Amino acid sequence: MDLDCEKHRKRRKTKVEDDPQTTGMELLPREIAHDILSRLPITSLVQFKCVCRAWRALVQDPQLVDLYLSCSTQDTDHPCLILHCDFPIRNNLYFVDFAAQEEEKEKVKRIPAPFSSMMPEFEVVGSCNGLLCLSDSLYNDSLYIYNPFTGCYKELPKSLQYPDQEVVSGFGFNPKTKEYKVIRIVYYRNGHGGYPRSRRIIYPLSEVQILTLGCPEWRSLGKVSYRLVRRASGALVNGRLHWISRPCRNKPARRLVSFDLTDEQFREVPKPDCGGLNRCNYHLVVLRGCLSAAVYCNYGRLEIWVMKEYNVKDSWVKEYNIGSYMPKGLKQNQDRQLKIWKNSSNGRVVGALCVLKNGEILLEYKNRVLVSYDPKNGKFKDIELQGAPNWFQTVVHVGSLNWIDTPSDAYNQGSDTSPYVS
């Protein structure tokens, strides 16, 4: 009996050595292999699939892709940050993975944009389930869906354009219907002129356009009664995108407005009693799955209000009260920086990004420096990123190998090489 077992082991060993594409990993039960791979950082998983065909096939298994996405969306304490740099001219994407090993997690790597020849300048509309939605910032007519870790990208159908318009965009996933949707809230005007005493252009007309990914054309939902602030994609919570409205004649107070991706209706959400939402220096953010409002107060202070129970007004709690701080990277040429600050981030000095595993808050200062803040002792720590661009917009991202589940094919299905550049 022992001799037969020994012969079997020898035959198995010879078979593995004869097949250059066979390693020990794929000999494990699939459930165990998937469990192991689902715990790796996205950078390690991308490198894993470049080893051989067998490992590439294992990584591209739809069951593993779904499991990895599920684990990544639940583990918000180890974010993968996308840095979008639009300075000086041609746009670039970078990333830093906080789930990587200690010596790697603060190294910034560049991600090539394979569509850059068609869209050299772009804005990040939003990030959802490992996918980025990017829009043309020059002509406002092109939209792309892109997975930066697989290299897959797809241009979306063109939408109706107006000669003089301002667009508020959003990108999200409807968990009930398993559909991705892009929304464009277009404010426009037919003629020239407007209101001569106004400091900004007034767009009296509006149209809401929506595209379900996989459909050939956009749908019009009519006009909207809210004037939403044109910023990055609204915070996505409970299948709804959220923005804060501008005050207007018939609605002088700012409102917290949501768009439900299921029934495609706008609704108001109760806002916190902080008073700061009536000012312009604030932004919405998702902290550990909760809708949150970061309000920039006087002297560089930041208040963060968290809605513990969605759509319940009494559940708003002032979770963090962050004092003023000047990062080391901004102390040089401070006078010059103050002039630039007036024109960037709508006057906001600091913005909240996410909560890290150790309970610290990750902050971005003036699109230049990342800082962690410990609410227990009130201490700040500058995060020295190796190879980071001088100017960037930070997008909290979920690293995954996910792609759009539609019959349409991507223009680029990825390759056997790593999609990022060290």
Side-chain angles (χ1 to χ4, degrees):
M1 186 68 178
D2 294 339
L3 184 59
D4 292 339
C5 292
E6 184 66 25
K7 289 181 179 179
H8 177 73
R9 283 195 294 268
K10 288 183 178 180
R11 285 197 301 265
R12 187 175 180 181
K13 183 178 179 181
T14 303
K15 182 178 179 182
V16 171
E17 291 175 350
D18 291 342
D19 185 0
Q21 296 297 329
T22 303
T23 64
M25 187 68 182
E26 64 272 14
L27 299 178
L28 292 174
R30 178 167 297 187
E31 294 77 10
I32 296 178
H34 285 180
D35 182 66
I36 295 173
L37 295 176
S38 66
R39 301 171 187 269
L40 294 178
I42 185 61
T43 49
S44 300
L45 198 62
V46 169
Q47 294 172 345
F48 183 92
K49 76 170 187 175
C50 300
V51 173
C52 63
R53 296 177 189 173
W55 285 21
R56 178 177 173 83
L58 184 60
V59 170
Q60 292 180 332
D61 188 323
Q63 292 183 1
L64 175 62
V65 173
D66 293 341
L67 176 62
Y68 193 88
L69 176 61
S70 176
C71 295
S72 300
T73 52
Q74 294 176 12
D75 183 17
T76 58
D77 297 336
H78 297 92
C80 174
L81 303 180
I82 298 293
L83 308 181
H84 171 222
C85 176
D86 61 356
F87 180 84
I89 300 177
R90 183 176 290 273
N91 288 204
N92 288 297
L93 293 173
Y94 303 82
F95 83 94
V96 56
D97 189 3
F98 276 74
Q101 298 297 325
E102 190 68 28
E103 65 274 9
E104 291 289 330
K105 72 177 184 178
E106 294 183 359
K107 289 185 179 179
V108 177
K109 298 182 179 180
R110 185 170 63 86
I111 305 172
F115 42 80
S116 60
S117 60
M118 294 85 75
M119 192 173 68
E121 296 189 33
F122 53 85
E123 297 176 348
V124 179
V125 173
S127 168
C128 181
N129 290 348
L131 304 178
L132 292 175
C133 181
L134 308 171
S135 67
D136 192 326
S137 58
L138 281 180
Y139 304 104
N140 217 7
D141 61 345
S142 296
L143 279 167
Y144 283 82
I145 301 296
Y146 178 46
N147 186 324
F149 294 106
T150 64
C152 294
Y153 67 96
K154 177 180 178 62
E155 184 177 11
L156 301 182
K158 295 289 194 298
S159 60
L160 178 63
Q161 302 291 317
Y162 295 91
D164 192 0
Q165 65 180 18
E166 179 182 88
V167 181
V168 178
S169 301
F171 173 56
F173 178 71
N174 183 359
K176 294 181 180 179
T177 61
K178 308 296 183 183
E179 295 174 327
Y180 290 92
K181 293 184 179 181
V182 181
I183 179 175
R184 299 178 79 250
I185 305 165
V186 184
Y187 299 100
Y188 65 98
R189 57 180 181 167
N190 288 327
H192 300 283
Y195 301 90
R197 295 184 179 181
S198 176
R199 292 184 178 180
R200 61 183 178 85
I201 300 175
I202 303 297
Y203 297 95
L205 305 175
S206 67
E207 183 186 22
V208 179
Q209 304 169 353
I210 190 164
L211 175 70
T212 301
L213 268 60
C215 295
E217 59 185 19
W218 292 73
R219 293 178 287 116
S220 176
L221 302 181
K223 62 181 181 180
V224 61
S225 59
Y226 301 98
R227 299 286 180 189
L228 303 180
V229 177
R230 185 181 183 275
R231 287 188 180 172
S233 178
L236 179 63
V237 179
N238 271 32
R240 297 186 187 184
L241 291 165
H242 299 78
W243 297 271
I244 296 178
S245 68
R246 286 194 179 112
C248 55
R249 184 175 300 177
N250 58 339
K251 295 181 179 179
R254 294 182 183 270
R255 287 170 165 78
L256 188 52
V257 181
S258 72
F259 179 79
D260 196 319
L261 294 173
T262 301
D263 60 16
E264 300 179 350
Q265 296 293 320
F266 287 94
R267 294 182 178 88
E268 293 186 16
V269 176
K271 60 184 182 181
D273 294 327
C274 60
L277 293 188
N278 291 324
R279 301 193 296 267
C280 63
N281 295 332
Y282 55 84
H283 64 282
L284 297 178
V285 63
V286 182
L287 298 181
R288 289 183 170 171
C290 295
L291 181 64
S292 307
V295 182
Y296 177 54
C297 306
N298 295 330
Y299 307 108
R301 294 187 302 107
L302 188 71
E303 292 181 357
I304 301 181
W305 293 72
V306 179
M307 182 183 268
K308 297 293 186 177
E309 185 177 353
Y310 183 73
N311 215 20
V312 177
K313 181 176 178 60
D314 294 338
S315 70
W316 279 107
V317 178
K318 185 166 71 170
E319 191 84 358
Y320 306 101
N321 194 353
I322 303 173
S324 61
Y325 177 70
M326 175 66 73
K328 296 179 182 178
L330 296 181
K331 288 182 179 179
Q332 299 177 352
N333 300 324
Q334 185 172 350
D335 295 337
R336 178 177 177 270
Q337 296 299 330
L338 290 174
K339 294 179 181 179
I340 298 176
W341 283 6
K342 296 179 181 179
N343 298 321
S344 64
S345 301
N346 294 318
R348 191 177 73 237
V349 174
V350 56
L353 296 175
C354 60
V355 181
L356 300 176
K357 184 179 181 180
N358 56 8
E360 296 180 356
I361 311 298
L362 188 62
L363 307 171
E364 180 192 83
Y365 282 79
K366 278 305 176 184
N367 303 114
R368 295 202 66 184
V369 180
L370 295 183
V371 174
S372 63
Y373 171 77
D374 191 341
K376 295 179 180 179
N377 54 29
K379 292 185 177 180
F380 297 85
K381 178 185 176 183
D382 291 19
I383 298 177
E384 298 181 2
L385 298 177
Q386 304 175 31
N390 292 329
W391 298 87
F392 54 83
Q393 174 198 3
T394 307
V395 179
V396 179
H397 187 68
V398 173
S400 79
L401 304 178
N402 186 38
W403 188 238
I404 311 165
D405 188 16
T406 69
S408 303
D409 293 327
Y411 282 112
N412 186 316
Q413 292 294 344
S415 64
D416 292 329
T417 58
S418 176
Y420 53 83
V421 179
S422 301

